[in-house]
Amino acid sequence: MSLLLSLHLQRGDFRLDIDTALPSTGITAICGPSGSGKTSLLRCIAGLDRAPDGMVQFLGSDWQSQALFLQCEKRGVGLVFQDAQLFPHLSVAANLGYAEKRQFRSIGPNVEEVCNWLQITALLNRDVNKLSGGERKRVAIARALLRHPQLLLMDEPLSGLHDAARDEMMDVLQSLPQHLSLPIIYVSHSFHEVSRLADHVVLLDNGQLIAEGDLVELSSRLDLPLSRQQDAGAVLNATLLGHDHEYQLSTLQLNTDQQLSINQISAALGQQLRLFVAARDISISLEAPTQSSILNSLKCTIDTIDGDIARNKAMNPQVTVRLSVGDQYLLARITRKSRDRLNLHAGQQVFAQIKTVALVNETGVAS
Amino acid sequence: MSDHDWLAIFLTLRLAGLTTLILLVIATPLAWWMANTPWRGKPVIEALVALPLVLPPTVLGFYLLIAFAPSSPLAQFWLSLTGENLAFSFSALVIASVLYSLPFVVQPLQSGFQQVPKALLETAASLGAGRLDRFISIVVPLCRSNFLVAITLGFAHTVGEFGVVLMIGGNIPGRTQVLSIALYDRVESLQYSAAHWLAGGLIAFSFIVLCWVYRLNRYRGLELGNSHLPKAQA
């Protein structure tokens, strides 16, 4: 834990109150609805905004304290804005050169490596004003990396991209940690997007930190607004166990004695995988289903049931059920009527039928 | 054209060149400050800078005449600093021209500076560029045509100066007799053919300069957009 923050900022009606310590390794996501203060927080970390009497400390050195405010250019942070912000009077190569000339430290990748990672080698001589949205963002990330920062800050790097470009960009971002060990703070309004990238998550709402912790753990907590979102779901860790070549399926081991099948993937056996199971893709039955087209059925225990009452105090037609599978959790969204009809209650043993399992990330190397 | 005329032409060019140089040094930080300050009193400064656009040049000339009089504190200070009398000197012309042409240099720069996106400068800061570095590496190239317009207008406007110089110059050939005054002299002494050369030359010069400025204005739209010529020409 080595990015210490104590930031209190009043801007008209909006108030930011953050006191926390973020990890200095891996990808940390700052997630919350628009207007929740994500960008303000990022700007304070970058040194672009100053919260009076605030404190920012990175790896033991003060960036902001009572006595000192280190300007952005002295902090050694890489910054990727929502809209790339390439310098319009410079070519792609010169944009990269701008950062290279002003490197924060000597250790780090060179232009060739960065261009390979981000697949922009072919763009080097292009006019930045003639790049597509996705290309602009990739160049912006490359430029930030060439600064050789000690911390990379990204503000909604996927916003404004169409689906194909988003997927491409996501692949690029997911591959980054393989190339360099750089702590990244990633701001996004979408937990789903974050679930593919981050290890550690900070949830903001209305300028306040409402939860912080491991992505897998936060994803299934019913006390957080995440579980109320339309596309709510749980993130699970699993290990690749084997392949069924006849049916093009792969078998995954949850960290219990239970298994899941997914469409065949090319990863090596033993690979750690991260899965996302949407709450609306799970149905609950009291007995093990024997004659069903659904392959994945897990024996679970009901942990909690919540969501009877919507935020506007009206009764909800649906409830969210938190199911424990070993030491992991699933979320299921079922109708309130089904809950009452099956008399579902905490502690009860049930079977979760899972319609779709999405592979979100290959989290590590094969072990 | 007589030697006198050539002398006036060279003096005018020297005055305009020096004035423009000084104006660049003064107007650049002033315009940057005006483009960025959140200070509420900014309109007052803006109005002060723009005053020469609307005042008759003789008003400015009158007050400068008083300020440059040998007994004035400014003239005393100048004397102790340079050992030179300010009244009817070339230096006095330069000071007057700087004040008189200030808005013509400040306004194009200010409007250019205002259009530089803040996020670009923040990005440059995140890439390690300090204040001055950001100004030189981002603002100047993005406002390149604003600088060209400012330089051209500042220079041309100083060349076209008459009223202020008439009030404070003293019409000393080789020292304070600029082109516009020399022309006035020729007309007064009914030397119309010499007057034609000077007047026609000035028209041609100014026309070419303005064509150049408007051309810059047209093409700079590619960079940051919008016109930024001063609103009025006194």
Side-chain angles (χ1 to χ4, degrees), chain B residues 47-79:
Chain B
L48 265 179
V49 170
L51 264 185
L53 289 176
V54 295
L55 281 180
T58 41
V59 172
L60 185 64
F62 171 59
Y63 285 111
L64 287 176
L65 186 66
I66 292 171
F68 295 161
S71 57
S72 80
L74 178 67
Q76 296 281 334
F77 173 71
W78 189 263
L79 187 67

PDB file of all heavy atoms in Angstrom, chain B residues 47-79:
ATOM      1  N   ALA B  47      -9.112  47.051 -21.102  1.00  0.00           N
ATOM      2  CA  ALA B  47      -9.545  48.358 -21.589  1.00  0.00           C
ATOM      3  C   ALA B  47      -8.353  49.296 -21.724  1.00  0.00           C
ATOM      4  O   ALA B  47      -8.229  50.037 -22.707  1.00  0.00           O
ATOM      5  CB  ALA B  47     -10.587  48.950 -20.636  1.00  0.00           C
ATOM      6  N   LEU B  48      -7.450  49.257 -20.741  1.00  0.00           N
ATOM      7  CA  LEU B  48      -6.264  50.119 -20.780  1.00  0.00           C
ATOM      8  C   LEU B  48      -5.431  49.831 -22.017  1.00  0.00           C
ATOM      9  O   LEU B  48      -4.991  50.739 -22.720  1.00  0.00           O
ATOM     10  CB  LEU B  48      -5.422  49.881 -19.529  1.00  0.00           C
ATOM     11  CG  LEU B  48      -5.650  50.822 -18.355  1.00  0.00           C
ATOM     12  CD1 LEU B  48      -4.751  50.424 -17.189  1.00  0.00           C
ATOM     13  CD2 LEU B  48      -5.359  52.271 -18.765  1.00  0.00           C
ATOM     14  N   VAL B  49      -5.225  48.529 -22.271  1.00  0.00           N
ATOM     15  CA  VAL B  49      -4.409  48.134 -23.418  1.00  0.00           C
ATOM     16  C   VAL B  49      -5.067  48.572 -24.720  1.00  0.00           C
ATOM     17  O   VAL B  49      -4.401  48.991 -25.661  1.00  0.00           O
ATOM     18  CB  VAL B  49      -4.198  46.594 -23.413  1.00  0.00           C
ATOM     19  CG1 VAL B  49      -3.575  46.132 -24.717  1.00  0.00           C
ATOM     20  CG2 VAL B  49      -3.322  46.189 -22.237  1.00  0.00           C
ATOM     21  N   ALA B  50      -6.414  48.510 -24.744  1.00  0.00           N
ATOM     22  CA  ALA B  50      -7.137  48.798 -25.985  1.00  0.00           C
ATOM     23  C   ALA B  50      -7.353  50.294 -26.201  1.00  0.00           C
ATOM     24  O   ALA B  50      -7.767  50.706 -27.282  1.00  0.00           O
ATOM     25  CB  ALA B  50      -8.484  48.073 -25.978  1.00  0.00           C
ATOM     26  N   LEU B  51      -7.082  51.123 -25.191  1.00  0.00           N
ATOM     27  CA  LEU B  51      -7.339  52.566 -25.302  1.00  0.00           C
ATOM     28  C   LEU B  51      -6.796  53.205 -26.582  1.00  0.00           C
ATOM     29  O   LEU B  51      -7.502  53.971 -27.235  1.00  0.00           O
ATOM     30  CB  LEU B  51      -6.788  53.304 -24.077  1.00  0.00           C
ATOM     31  CG  LEU B  51      -7.782  53.595 -22.940  1.00  0.00           C
ATOM     32  CD1 LEU B  51      -7.098  54.443 -21.877  1.00  0.00           C
ATOM     33  CD2 LEU B  51      -9.020  54.311 -23.465  1.00  0.00           C
ATOM     34  N   PRO B  52      -5.541  52.894 -26.960  1.00  0.00           N
ATOM     35  CA  PRO B  52      -5.009  53.540 -28.173  1.00  0.00           C
ATOM     36  C   PRO B  52      -5.811  53.234 -29.429  1.00  0.00           C
ATOM     37  O   PRO B  52      -5.686  53.943 -30.424  1.00  0.00           O
ATOM     38  CB  PRO B  52      -3.592  52.953 -28.296  1.00  0.00           C
ATOM     39  CG  PRO B  52      -3.249  52.494 -26.930  1.00  0.00           C
ATOM     40  CD  PRO B  52      -4.528  52.072 -26.290  1.00  0.00           C
ATOM     41  N   LEU B  53      -6.649  52.187 -29.371  1.00  0.00           N
ATOM     42  CA  LEU B  53      -7.471  51.868 -30.537  1.00  0.00           C
ATOM     43  C   LEU B  53      -8.548  52.926 -30.761  1.00  0.00           C
ATOM     44  O   LEU B  53      -8.963  53.161 -31.883  1.00  0.00           O
ATOM     45  CB  LEU B  53      -8.149  50.501 -30.364  1.00  0.00           C
ATOM     46  CG  LEU B  53      -7.289  49.253 -30.432  1.00  0.00           C
ATOM     47  CD1 LEU B  53      -8.137  48.021 -30.133  1.00  0.00           C
ATOM     48  CD2 LEU B  53      -6.654  49.123 -31.802  1.00  0.00           C
ATOM     49  N   VAL B  54      -9.021  53.522 -29.694  1.00  0.00           N
ATOM     50  CA  VAL B  54     -10.171  54.415 -29.812  1.00  0.00           C
ATOM     51  C   VAL B  54      -9.831  55.880 -29.604  1.00  0.00           C
ATOM     52  O   VAL B  54     -10.547  56.760 -30.075  1.00  0.00           O
ATOM     53  CB  VAL B  54     -11.298  54.007 -28.830  1.00  0.00           C
ATOM     54  CG1 VAL B  54     -11.844  52.651 -29.205  1.00  0.00           C
ATOM     55  CG2 VAL B  54     -10.813  54.007 -27.400  1.00  0.00           C
ATOM     56  N   LEU B  55      -8.744  56.158 -28.889  1.00  0.00           N
ATOM     57  CA  LEU B  55      -8.398  57.564 -28.624  1.00  0.00           C
ATOM     58  C   LEU B  55      -7.797  58.208 -29.860  1.00  0.00           C
ATOM     59  O   LEU B  55      -7.087  57.558 -30.619  1.00  0.00           O
ATOM     60  CB  LEU B  55      -7.365  57.631 -27.495  1.00  0.00           C
ATOM     61  CG  LEU B  55      -7.867  57.479 -26.068  1.00  0.00           C
ATOM     62  CD1 LEU B  55      -6.670  57.585 -25.119  1.00  0.00           C
ATOM     63  CD2 LEU B  55      -8.889  58.555 -25.750  1.00  0.00           C
ATOM     64  N   PRO B  56      -8.037  59.509 -30.052  1.00  0.00           N
ATOM     65  CA  PRO B  56      -7.274  60.218 -31.081  1.00  0.00           C
ATOM     66  C   PRO B  56      -5.803  60.172 -30.683  1.00  0.00           C
ATOM     67  O   PRO B  56      -5.480  60.362 -29.500  1.00  0.00           O
ATOM     68  CB  PRO B  56      -7.793  61.664 -30.996  1.00  0.00           C
ATOM     69  CG  PRO B  56      -9.042  61.594 -30.190  1.00  0.00           C
ATOM     70  CD  PRO B  56      -8.975  60.378 -29.336  1.00  0.00           C
ATOM     71  N   PRO B  57      -4.908  59.896 -31.611  1.00  0.00           N
ATOM     72  CA  PRO B  57      -3.484  59.783 -31.263  1.00  0.00           C
ATOM     73  C   PRO B  57      -2.961  61.037 -30.591  1.00  0.00           C
ATOM     74  O   PRO B  57      -2.013  60.964 -29.793  1.00  0.00           O
ATOM     75  CB  PRO B  57      -2.809  59.589 -32.624  1.00  0.00           C
ATOM     76  CG  PRO B  57      -3.872  59.103 -33.531  1.00  0.00           C
ATOM     77  CD  PRO B  57      -5.170  59.648 -33.021  1.00  0.00           C
ATOM     78  N   THR B  58      -3.595  62.166 -30.865  1.00  0.00           N
ATOM     79  CA  THR B  58      -3.118  63.414 -30.265  1.00  0.00           C
ATOM     80  C   THR B  58      -3.301  63.432 -28.750  1.00  0.00           C
ATOM     81  O   THR B  58      -2.569  64.098 -28.045  1.00  0.00           O
ATOM     82  CB  THR B  58      -3.865  64.612 -30.878  1.00  0.00           C
ATOM     83  OG1 THR B  58      -5.241  64.257 -31.031  1.00  0.00           O
ATOM     84  CG2 THR B  58      -3.279  64.976 -32.223  1.00  0.00           C
ATOM     85  N   VAL B  59      -4.291  62.687 -28.264  1.00  0.00           N
ATOM     86  CA  VAL B  59      -4.499  62.624 -26.807  1.00  0.00           C
ATOM     87  C   VAL B  59      -3.298  61.947 -26.144  1.00  0.00           C
ATOM     88  O   VAL B  59      -2.693  62.467 -25.203  1.00  0.00           O
ATOM     89  CB  VAL B  59      -5.795  61.856 -26.478  1.00  0.00           C
ATOM     90  CG1 VAL B  59      -5.902  61.628 -24.973  1.00  0.00           C
ATOM     91  CG2 VAL B  59      -7.006  62.621 -26.977  1.00  0.00           C
ATOM     92  N   LEU B  60      -2.943  60.774 -26.679  1.00  0.00           N
ATOM     93  CA  LEU B  60      -1.776  60.064 -26.162  1.00  0.00           C
ATOM     94  C   LEU B  60      -0.535  60.934 -26.316  1.00  0.00           C
ATOM     95  O   LEU B  60       0.287  61.069 -25.405  1.00  0.00           O
ATOM     96  CB  LEU B  60      -1.615  58.745 -26.928  1.00  0.00           C
ATOM     97  CG  LEU B  60      -0.521  57.807 -26.437  1.00  0.00           C
ATOM     98  CD1 LEU B  60      -0.814  57.316 -25.030  1.00  0.00           C
ATOM     99  CD2 LEU B  60      -0.362  56.632 -27.392  1.00  0.00           C
ATOM    100  N   GLY B  61      -0.428  61.577 -27.505  1.00  0.00           N
ATOM    101  CA  GLY B  61       0.721  62.429 -27.778  1.00  0.00           C
ATOM    102  C   GLY B  61       0.835  63.574 -26.794  1.00  0.00           C
ATOM    103  O   GLY B  61       1.922  63.887 -26.313  1.00  0.00           O
ATOM    104  N   PHE B  62      -0.295  64.165 -26.456  1.00  0.00           N
ATOM    105  CA  PHE B  62      -0.312  65.290 -25.522  1.00  0.00           C
ATOM    106  C   PHE B  62       0.249  64.877 -24.151  1.00  0.00           C
ATOM    107  O   PHE B  62       1.128  65.529 -23.597  1.00  0.00           O
ATOM    108  CB  PHE B  62      -1.749  65.804 -25.394  1.00  0.00           C
ATOM    109  CG  PHE B  62      -1.943  66.808 -24.302  1.00  0.00           C
ATOM    110  CD1 PHE B  62      -1.216  68.004 -24.296  1.00  0.00           C
ATOM    111  CD2 PHE B  62      -2.859  66.577 -23.276  1.00  0.00           C
ATOM    112  CE1 PHE B  62      -1.404  68.943 -23.283  1.00  0.00           C
ATOM    113  CE2 PHE B  62      -3.032  67.506 -22.259  1.00  0.00           C
ATOM    114  CZ  PHE B  62      -2.318  68.693 -22.264  1.00  0.00           C
ATOM    115  N   TYR B  63      -0.256  63.762 -23.635  1.00  0.00           N
ATOM    116  CA  TYR B  63       0.214  63.328 -22.309  1.00  0.00           C
ATOM    117  C   TYR B  63       1.672  62.871 -22.349  1.00  0.00           C
ATOM    118  O   TYR B  63       2.431  63.102 -21.407  1.00  0.00           O
ATOM    119  CB  TYR B  63      -0.686  62.226 -21.765  1.00  0.00           C
ATOM    120  CG  TYR B  63      -2.006  62.780 -21.285  1.00  0.00           C
ATOM    121  CD1 TYR B  63      -3.193  62.507 -21.941  1.00  0.00           C
ATOM    122  CD2 TYR B  63      -2.038  63.639 -20.179  1.00  0.00           C
ATOM    123  CE1 TYR B  63      -4.386  63.045 -21.512  1.00  0.00           C
ATOM    124  CE2 TYR B  63      -3.233  64.200 -19.752  1.00  0.00           C
ATOM    125  CZ  TYR B  63      -4.409  63.890 -20.420  1.00  0.00           C
ATOM    126  OH  TYR B  63      -5.572  64.434 -20.005  1.00  0.00           O
ATOM    127  N   LEU B  64       2.055  62.256 -23.460  1.00  0.00           N
ATOM    128  CA  LEU B  64       3.459  61.849 -23.566  1.00  0.00           C
ATOM    129  C   LEU B  64       4.367  63.074 -23.648  1.00  0.00           C
ATOM    130  O   LEU B  64       5.455  63.093 -23.083  1.00  0.00           O
ATOM    131  CB  LEU B  64       3.656  60.953 -24.790  1.00  0.00           C
ATOM    132  CG  LEU B  64       3.091  59.534 -24.634  1.00  0.00           C
ATOM    133  CD1 LEU B  64       3.231  58.756 -25.927  1.00  0.00           C
ATOM    134  CD2 LEU B  64       3.779  58.796 -23.491  1.00  0.00           C
ATOM    135  N   LEU B  65       3.896  64.116 -24.346  1.00  0.00           N
ATOM    136  CA  LEU B  65       4.667  65.363 -24.441  1.00  0.00           C
ATOM    137  C   LEU B  65       4.958  65.903 -23.045  1.00  0.00           C
ATOM    138  O   LEU B  65       6.074  66.306 -22.723  1.00  0.00           O
ATOM    139  CB  LEU B  65       3.866  66.386 -25.257  1.00  0.00           C
ATOM    140  CG  LEU B  65       4.584  67.700 -25.591  1.00  0.00           C
ATOM    141  CD1 LEU B  65       5.751  67.428 -26.541  1.00  0.00           C
ATOM    142  CD2 LEU B  65       3.616  68.700 -26.213  1.00  0.00           C
ATOM    143  N   ILE B  66       3.918  65.857 -22.198  1.00  0.00           N
ATOM    144  CA  ILE B  66       4.098  66.331 -20.817  1.00  0.00           C
ATOM    145  C   ILE B  66       5.040  65.417 -20.056  1.00  0.00           C
ATOM    146  O   ILE B  66       5.941  65.861 -19.339  1.00  0.00           O
ATOM    147  CB  ILE B  66       2.721  66.407 -20.120  1.00  0.00           C
ATOM    148  CG1 ILE B  66       1.908  67.532 -20.763  1.00  0.00           C
ATOM    149  CG2 ILE B  66       2.882  66.609 -18.618  1.00  0.00           C
ATOM    150  CD1 ILE B  66       0.472  67.577 -20.314  1.00  0.00           C
ATOM    151  N   ALA B  67       4.867  64.087 -20.272  1.00  0.00           N
ATOM    152  CA  ALA B  67       5.697  63.133 -19.533  1.00  0.00           C
ATOM    153  C   ALA B  67       7.157  63.217 -19.954  1.00  0.00           C
ATOM    154  O   ALA B  67       8.052  62.958 -19.165  1.00  0.00           O
ATOM    155  CB  ALA B  67       5.169  61.720 -19.762  1.00  0.00           C
ATOM    156  N   PHE B  68       7.401  63.588 -21.213  1.00  0.00           N
ATOM    157  CA  PHE B  68       8.778  63.620 -21.718  1.00  0.00           C
ATOM    158  C   PHE B  68       9.448  64.965 -21.521  1.00  0.00           C
ATOM    159  O   PHE B  68      10.633  65.127 -21.808  1.00  0.00           O
ATOM    160  CB  PHE B  68       8.811  63.272 -23.214  1.00  0.00           C
ATOM    161  CG  PHE B  68       8.369  61.863 -23.521  1.00  0.00           C
ATOM    162  CD1 PHE B  68       7.972  61.508 -24.804  1.00  0.00           C
ATOM    163  CD2 PHE B  68       8.363  60.881 -22.533  1.00  0.00           C
ATOM    164  CE1 PHE B  68       7.572  60.217 -25.082  1.00  0.00           C
ATOM    165  CE2 PHE B  68       7.970  59.600 -22.813  1.00  0.00           C
ATOM    166  CZ  PHE B  68       7.564  59.251 -24.093  1.00  0.00           C
ATOM    167  N   ALA B  69       8.683  65.966 -21.040  1.00  0.00           N
ATOM    168  CA  ALA B  69       9.265  67.295 -20.828  1.00  0.00           C
ATOM    169  C   ALA B  69      10.432  67.180 -19.853  1.00  0.00           C
ATOM    170  O   ALA B  69      10.386  66.419 -18.900  1.00  0.00           O
ATOM    171  CB  ALA B  69       8.203  68.237 -20.272  1.00  0.00           C
ATOM    172  N   PRO B  70      11.513  67.960 -20.120  1.00  0.00           N
ATOM    173  CA  PRO B  70      12.748  67.823 -19.329  1.00  0.00           C
ATOM    174  C   PRO B  70      12.529  67.884 -17.824  1.00  0.00           C
ATOM    175  O   PRO B  70      13.295  67.278 -17.072  1.00  0.00           O
ATOM    176  CB  PRO B  70      13.598  68.994 -19.813  1.00  0.00           C
ATOM    177  CG  PRO B  70      13.113  69.266 -21.193  1.00  0.00           C
ATOM    178  CD  PRO B  70      11.639  68.941 -21.198  1.00  0.00           C
ATOM    179  N   SER B  71      11.480  68.575 -17.374  1.00  0.00           N
ATOM    180  CA  SER B  71      11.301  68.719 -15.932  1.00  0.00           C
ATOM    181  C   SER B  71      10.551  67.538 -15.314  1.00  0.00           C
ATOM    182  O   SER B  71      10.490  67.408 -14.097  1.00  0.00           O
ATOM    183  CB  SER B  71      10.523  70.014 -15.654  1.00  0.00           C
ATOM    184  OG  SER B  71       9.301  69.950 -16.356  1.00  0.00           O
ATOM    185  N   SER B  72       9.988  66.664 -16.147  1.00  0.00           N
ATOM    186  CA  SER B  72       9.157  65.585 -15.595  1.00  0.00           C
ATOM    187  C   SER B  72      10.018  64.497 -14.939  1.00  0.00           C
ATOM    188  O   SER B  72      11.189  64.329 -15.286  1.00  0.00           O
ATOM    189  CB  SER B  72       8.330  64.949 -16.718  1.00  0.00           C
ATOM    190  OG  SER B  72       9.138  64.043 -17.443  1.00  0.00           O
ATOM    191  N   PRO B  73       9.447  63.805 -13.972  1.00  0.00           N
ATOM    192  CA  PRO B  73      10.196  62.746 -13.279  1.00  0.00           C
ATOM    193  C   PRO B  73      10.713  61.683 -14.241  1.00  0.00           C
ATOM    194  O   PRO B  73      11.843  61.205 -14.115  1.00  0.00           O
ATOM    195  CB  PRO B  73       9.166  62.145 -12.313  1.00  0.00           C
ATOM    196  CG  PRO B  73       8.092  63.164 -12.188  1.00  0.00           C
ATOM    197  CD  PRO B  73       8.096  63.959 -13.444  1.00  0.00           C
ATOM    198  N   LEU B  74       9.865  61.329 -15.226  1.00  0.00           N
ATOM    199  CA  LEU B  74      10.273  60.300 -16.174  1.00  0.00           C
ATOM    200  C   LEU B  74      11.511  60.749 -16.950  1.00  0.00           C
ATOM    201  O   LEU B  74      12.473  59.997 -17.089  1.00  0.00           O
ATOM    202  CB  LEU B  74       9.129  60.004 -17.150  1.00  0.00           C
ATOM    203  CG  LEU B  74       9.445  58.968 -18.234  1.00  0.00           C
ATOM    204  CD1 LEU B  74       9.634  57.589 -17.643  1.00  0.00           C
ATOM    205  CD2 LEU B  74       8.379  58.952 -19.314  1.00  0.00           C
ATOM    206  N   ALA B  75      11.497  62.001 -17.420  1.00  0.00           N
ATOM    207  CA  ALA B  75      12.622  62.515 -18.187  1.00  0.00           C
ATOM    208  C   ALA B  75      13.869  62.614 -17.317  1.00  0.00           C
ATOM    209  O   ALA B  75      14.985  62.326 -17.760  1.00  0.00           O
ATOM    210  CB  ALA B  75      12.271  63.876 -18.779  1.00  0.00           C
ATOM    211  N   GLN B  76      13.673  63.005 -16.058  1.00  0.00           N
ATOM    212  CA  GLN B  76      14.801  63.102 -15.120  1.00  0.00           C
ATOM    213  C   GLN B  76      15.431  61.725 -14.915  1.00  0.00           C
ATOM    214  O   GLN B  76      16.638  61.545 -14.968  1.00  0.00           O
ATOM    215  CB  GLN B  76      14.299  63.625 -13.759  1.00  0.00           C
ATOM    216  CG  GLN B  76      13.737  65.028 -13.786  1.00  0.00           C
ATOM    217  CD  GLN B  76      14.834  66.080 -13.791  1.00  0.00           C
ATOM    218  OE1 GLN B  76      15.930  65.803 -13.301  1.00  0.00           O
ATOM    219  NE2 GLN B  76      14.549  67.244 -14.345  1.00  0.00           N
ATOM    220  N   PHE B  77      14.543  60.746 -14.716  1.00  0.00           N
ATOM    221  CA  PHE B  77      14.989  59.391 -14.499  1.00  0.00           C
ATOM    222  C   PHE B  77      15.755  58.885 -15.730  1.00  0.00           C
ATOM    223  O   PHE B  77      16.826  58.285 -15.626  1.00  0.00           O
ATOM    224  CB  PHE B  77      13.773  58.495 -14.219  1.00  0.00           C
ATOM    225  CG  PHE B  77      14.096  57.036 -14.135  1.00  0.00           C
ATOM    226  CD1 PHE B  77      14.799  56.526 -13.048  1.00  0.00           C
ATOM    227  CD2 PHE B  77      13.710  56.167 -15.153  1.00  0.00           C
ATOM    228  CE1 PHE B  77      15.100  55.184 -12.977  1.00  0.00           C
ATOM    229  CE2 PHE B  77      14.010  54.817 -15.076  1.00  0.00           C
ATOM    230  CZ  PHE B  77      14.708  54.320 -13.985  1.00  0.00           C
ATOM    231  N   TRP B  78      15.179  59.161 -16.904  1.00  0.00           N
ATOM    232  CA  TRP B  78      15.805  58.742 -18.168  1.00  0.00           C
ATOM    233  C   TRP B  78      17.182  59.379 -18.313  1.00  0.00           C
ATOM    234  O   TRP B  78      18.139  58.722 -18.734  1.00  0.00           O
ATOM    235  CB  TRP B  78      14.903  59.148 -19.331  1.00  0.00           C
ATOM    236  CG  TRP B  78      15.358  58.585 -20.632  1.00  0.00           C
ATOM    237  CD1 TRP B  78      16.109  59.208 -21.580  1.00  0.00           C
ATOM    238  CD2 TRP B  78      15.099  57.276 -21.123  1.00  0.00           C
ATOM    239  NE1 TRP B  78      16.340  58.384 -22.628  1.00  0.00           N
ATOM    240  CE2 TRP B  78      15.735  57.174 -22.389  1.00  0.00           C
ATOM    241  CE3 TRP B  78      14.407  56.173 -20.628  1.00  0.00           C
ATOM    242  CZ2 TRP B  78      15.688  56.014 -23.153  1.00  0.00           C
ATOM    243  CZ3 TRP B  78      14.356  55.039 -21.395  1.00  0.00           C
ATOM    244  CH2 TRP B  78      14.988  54.959 -22.638  1.00  0.00           C
ATOM    245  N   LEU B  79      17.275  60.664 -17.944  1.00  0.00           N
ATOM    246  CA  LEU B  79      18.537  61.394 -18.052  1.00  0.00           C
ATOM    247  C   LEU B  79      19.597  60.764 -17.167  1.00  0.00           C
ATOM    248  O   LEU B  79      20.739  60.555 -17.576  1.00  0.00           O
ATOM    249  CB  LEU B  79      18.309  62.867 -17.662  1.00  0.00           C
ATOM    250  CG  LEU B  79      19.496  63.798 -17.879  1.00  0.00           C
ATOM    251  CD1 LEU B  79      19.796  63.962 -19.369  1.00  0.00           C
ATOM    252  CD2 LEU B  79      19.215  65.183 -17.264  1.00  0.00           C
TER     253      LEU B  79
END
